[in-house]
Amino acid sequence: MTPTHALYTRDLSKYYQTPRGVLKAVNHVDLEVQEGEFIVIMGPSGSGKSTLLALVGGLVRPSV
């Protein structure tokens, strides 16, 4: 049986323009989560975890 993707992203990015230059909050992320699978998103403060969740949740648009 072929696994079913519950979540699938390829080359997902979100950049913000700041006075100091471009901030790459999420930079070319590939992610596959299979149906029934549990994952954990970990990282230090400011590493883009919340931005990634907002992107896959459709709350913000990705950068082109």
Side-chain angles (χ1 to χ4, degrees):
M1 183 172 175
T2 305
T4 303
H5 288 109
L7 176 64
Y8 179 87
T9 70
R10 281 289 176 256
D11 203 30
L12 186 63
S13 297
K14 181 62 178 178
Y15 305 145
Y16 295 100
Q17 184 64 49
T18 71
R20 298 174 79 181
V22 175
L23 172 67
K24 296 178 180 178
V26 175
N27 193 25
H28 303 290
V29 171
D30 296 339
L31 179 64
E32 292 182 37
V33 180
Q34 303 299 327
E35 189 175 301
E37 190 174 36
F38 289 90
I39 64 166
V40 175
I41 299 175
M42 295 175 48
S45 178
S47 63
K49 301 175 301 290
S50 295
T51 303
L52 176 62
L53 292 174
L55 284 163
V56 298
L59 300 175
V60 296
R61 290 180 187 257
S63 298
V64 178

